[in-house]
Amino acid sequence: MVFLMATPLSAHPGSGIVVDHQGNVYFVDTGSGIWKIEKDGKLTRLAGPAYHWMAIDLDRRLSNVTLPYFSSGDATVTRVGRDVGLLVSSDFPITVGQDGALYYPWRLDGERWQVFRLSGSGATTVFTTPPSRSESGPLRWINGVTSGSDGSIYYTEDRAVRKINVRGECSTVVDNPGLTGCDSVPGLGSELGPHFRGICVDHLGNVYVAATGCRSVLKITAGKIAATLLRSPSPWSPTGVAAFGDDIFVLEYLHTANDNRREWLPRVRKISATGEVVTVATIDRR
């Protein structure tokens, strides 16, 4: 099987954020590496690369497999920490499914993408080949992936959220929703639309997605009813989301129009079941 390197996007901050069984939060900082927020609010930096995407192998079922590496562009997935089960990815989004397998997309050429499954036994197979075009246009990039409790895999495009069931069949969760304010994030052009990035699914089947281009977090119910859950003040904008119980953790970045990663400052906010929003961590290098 031949893999070709996907055409890289313009520089952009990371979107990886996950929560472990104890409620500790981990997130990527594209300017300096990886951070951990403990349940008591203590913030510590972990040794690891300043990559873009993150997943967590909660039950360590991938601890003995060889992770994906592509010599073209040095795209890779690597482990962080001995006992946490953190996985970070340089060039493509990743998630660990309910079956304990690692799922990740890769672009073959042009508009053709495939989603791969790496099992706990180390076997790699093609899980599905998503449609290369839809009502919102060509599949330019897969920006984020996550897993649902029913074994489904969800992924984001610039203007759409899709679902892949356990049989590898693709369906649409939302496409071109009517969001406003999608032209006010420094460094992001209005042609990207909502620019959906990080995504997660809670225990009730609700989907949460970071609409980075619109400075918003969107909640989509199991009945496909979409509503804006959070709106960030410019130049802050959400890039990633993670669910833990009834709480949603949101990774936001202070966006700038230049490519200096040190100026992309991350923070994490928590949205409670009552809608209360609190800031739980901010990285400030200024």
Side-chain angles (χ1 to χ4, degrees), residues 217 229-230 246-250 269-273 275-277:
V217 171
L229 184 67
L230 175 72
D246 293 326
D247 295 328
I248 302 298
F249 290 90
V250 181
R269 294 203 286 172
K270 182 178 72 172
I271 309 172
S272 69
E276 179 186 14
V277 180

Side-chain angles (χ1 to χ4, degrees), residues 20-41:
D20 66 18
H21 283 310
Q22 289 73 44
N24 301 305
V25 179
Y26 306 83
F27 65 95
V28 296
D29 175 0
T30 326
S32 68
I34 299 167
W35 297 90
K36 174 183 179 181
I37 311 169
E38 298 184 25
K39 288 181 64 178
D40 61 3

Side-chain angles (χ1 to χ4, degrees), residues 54-281:
M54 175 183 287
I56 187 165
D57 180 16
L58 288 169
D59 299 319
R60 305 298 304 278
R61 286 184 278 181
L62 294 166
S63 58
N64 296 316
V65 303
T66 301
L67 296 171
Y69 172 80
F70 303 96
S71 58
S72 175
D74 293 329
T76 187
V77 178
T78 189
R79 294 181 176 86
V80 173
R82 293 183 177 179
D83 304 316
V84 181
L86 289 181
L87 305 173
V88 291
S89 171
S90 59
D91 288 51
F92 46 85
I94 55 176
T95 190
V96 176
Q98 291 297 309
D99 57 357
L102 180 72
Y103 292 83
Y104 59 94
W106 191 254
R107 187 159 65 185
L108 301 178
D109 60 81
E111 299 171 2
R112 294 195 308 146
W113 285 82
Q114 288 182 315
V115 176
F116 291 87
R117 177 184 183 272
L118 172 63
S119 71
S121 68
T124 300
T125 56
V126 176
F127 181 53
T128 196
T129 300
S132 60
R133 297 189 68 88
S134 67
E135 56 269 35
S136 59
L139 177 53
R140 190 183 71 95
W141 192 265
I142 292 180
N143 301 321
V145 294
T146 195
S147 61
S149 59
D150 63 351
S152 297
I153 300 298
Y154 297 75
Y155 68 90
T156 59
E157 306 173 16
D158 284 344
R159 300 176 183 274
V161 178
R162 316 285 186 193
K163 178 181 180 179
I164 312 167
N165 66 20
V166 294
R167 296 180 298 278
E169 300 164 339
C170 296
S171 61
T172 297
V173 178
V174 67
D175 197 316
N176 268 326
L179 300 178
T180 60
C182 299
D183 57 356
S184 58
V185 180
L188 292 180
S190 59
E191 70 277 4
L192 297 178
H195 192 40
F196 291 129
R197 294 196 62 201
I199 182 173
C200 70
V201 183
D202 69 12
H203 61 287
L204 298 175
N206 299 307
V207 177
Y208 301 84
V209 59
T212 304
C214 305
R215 297 185 287 109
S216 302
V217 171
L218 200 65
K219 177 182 178 180
I220 310 164
T221 67
K224 297 187 178 182
I225 298 174
T228 299
L229 184 67
L230 175 72
R231 189 153 176 90
S232 303
S234 183
W236 291 97
S237 187
T239 63
V241 285
F244 183 73
D246 293 326
D247 295 328
I248 302 298
F249 290 90
V250 181
L251 174 62
E252 298 177 317
Y253 269 87
L254 183 71
H255 281 65
T256 69
N258 64 51
D259 294 343
N260 185 348
R261 291 186 172 204
R262 299 288 294 176
E263 293 186 11
W264 300 336
L265 303 176
R267 72 180 181 187
V268 175
R269 294 203 286 172
K270 182 178 72 172
I271 309 172
S272 69
T274 62
E276 179 186 14
V277 180
V278 297
T279 300
V280 294

